[in-house]
Amino acid sequence: MTSTSDPLAMAEHWLDVGNPQRCLDLLAEGASEPDQARAFELRSLALIRLGRRQEGYEVALRGLEIDPDSGPLHFYAAQAADFSRRPKEAERHFQRALALCPSDLAIRTRYGAFLVDEKRLAEADRQVAQARELDPEALDLTLLRARIAVGRKAWEEARDLARRVLAEEPDNPEALQLDAVAASALGDQETAVRSMRRAAASNLDDRELALAARQAAIAMLPVMWPLRLLSRFAWWQVWLVTYVAFALVRATMPEPVQITVAAVWVAFLVYSWALPAVLTAWVKRRAR
């Protein structure tokens, strides 16, 4: 049981039980006196979990002025920089965090996820190999493998890996998102929407996730049925069938029919481009 006489331990307890705001409140009451560097670590992580990423980054940098060799502070700075789309800064802090804590699975898998986002899949594979040496059964490792599979568009593999995580943690937001992405790519829009909604419900404070759930729901509207049907096929298959169909129409049909078919096809192209854009803009406007 956490000792109430140790302010930092109590602050960490509130962070562990999912109450980062209470952690911040406790730190503001003077919990930083016994160990300043540790207090900066807790404060930075709490801010990141609250979605206040820029503040979390600034706190991590202030903490690193006190303790430049704090692996956790470099890790939190890396995550905050990554969320803020500053890849060079994120890379620098990830590398330093790994140099200081080479056996930390969380740092290694999160760095691997960063590499996937940067489309550096071969480097992400190396992080998988090193993470396997630490804990081959870790859920974070399985999630990283799923992300890499999504990056390679190996949809069946991605869905299988995401569902392995969901078998252990049914409300894991990242696994639900990966499951939704894979299901959507495989043409299973109902599963995609269901998984994305569950992901949003499991993290009500994440506005981006809530928006993604609403956008996924767009695909299930009746007016989107033709696009749902086409999503079951690869783009090259659609264009191959279109080319063959137009060739047959030109070879066998009179000119008025050819013009009508061409006009219908152009109208469908406009519909397929404009309708999702309009609906997405409408959803974003409502989410403000």
Side-chain angles (χ1 to χ4, degrees):
M1 186 173 179
T2 304
S3 171
T4 57
S5 62
D6 185 344
L8 283 177
M10 281 301 299
E12 185 171 7
H13 163 74
W14 287 114
L15 199 55
D16 289 342
V17 299
N19 193 336
Q21 186 57 59
R22 183 69 186 106
C23 170
L24 288 177
D25 293 342
L26 198 59
L27 291 170
E29 293 170 7
S32 60
E33 293 179 8
D35 183 346
Q36 275 194 314
R38 181 59 180 150
F40 276 106
E41 291 174 9
L42 296 173
R43 188 177 291 113
S44 177
L45 181 55
L47 288 166
I48 290 171
R49 289 185 177 175
L50 286 169
R52 296 159 61 182
R53 293 154 186 167
Q54 180 59 34
E55 293 177 71
Y57 182 66
E58 293 169 358
V59 167
L61 293 184
R62 289 204 301 272
L64 287 169
E65 293 175 2
I66 297 169
D67 183 2
D69 294 327
S70 168
L73 281 173
H74 279 290
F75 182 37
Y76 305 148
Q79 290 183 80
D82 183 20
F83 283 131
S84 302
R85 292 172 175 76
R86 291 181 287 193
K88 290 184 179 179
E89 295 173 43
E91 173 86 24
R92 176 166 55 85
H93 287 294
F94 271 126
Q95 291 281 6
R96 185 60 180 150
L98 278 175
L100 293 164
C101 308
S103 297
D104 191 309
L105 184 72
I107 297 175
R108 195 165 293 283
T109 53
R110 188 66 191 81
Y111 179 49
F114 165 79
L115 293 171
V116 173
D117 292 340
E118 292 295 299
K119 312 242 182 314
R120 294 156 59 184
L121 299 182
E123 293 176 67
D125 284 333
R126 287 196 286 274
Q127 296 304 317
V128 167
Q130 292 174 305
R132 273 198 172 114
E133 296 177 6
L134 299 172
D135 184 354
E137 303 299 324
L139 292 184
D140 283 349
L141 174 56
T142 305
L143 279 172
L144 174 56
R145 292 173 58 205
R147 289 177 70 104
I148 293 172
V150 166
R152 293 200 165 103
K153 299 184 179 180
W155 306 119
E156 292 285 2
E157 180 186 0
R159 183 160 64 172
D160 176 66
L161 290 166
R163 290 183 176 182
R164 287 189 207 177
V165 176
L166 292 172
E168 299 290 330
E169 295 183 0
D171 295 324
N172 186 295
E174 186 175 354
L176 287 166
Q177 289 178 71
L178 292 168
D179 182 53
V181 169
S184 179
L186 291 167
D188 186 358
Q189 296 297 340
E190 290 186 14
T191 297
V193 172
R194 185 166 58 248
S195 292
M196 193 60 77
R197 282 176 172 167
R198 286 176 56 200
S202 69
N203 191 354
L204 297 175
D205 293 329
D206 192 325
R207 295 185 64 185
E208 292 180 5
L209 191 53
L211 176 59
R214 293 189 184 99
Q215 289 174 313
I218 288 174
M220 294 307 297
L221 295 174
V223 72
M224 297 291 286
W225 177 84
L227 297 183
R228 289 205 303 274
L229 181 62
L230 286 181
S231 70
R232 297 176 181 273
F233 304 96
W235 67 268
W236 64 267
Q237 292 175 315
V238 174
W239 284 103
L240 178 60
V241 170
T242 301
Y243 175 80
V244 172
F246 270 109
L248 288 173
V249 168
R250 290 186 63 184
T252 62
M253 298 293 178
E255 185 175 347
V257 175
Q258 295 179 31
I259 293 173
T260 300
V261 170
V264 169
W265 178 245
V266 170
F268 178 77
L269 290 178
V270 172
Y271 151 84
S272 65
W273 172 81
L275 187 63
V278 169
L279 290 174
T280 299
W282 175 70
V283 165
K284 288 182 177 179
R285 185 177 182 84
R286 288 193 62 190
R288 288 177 184 173

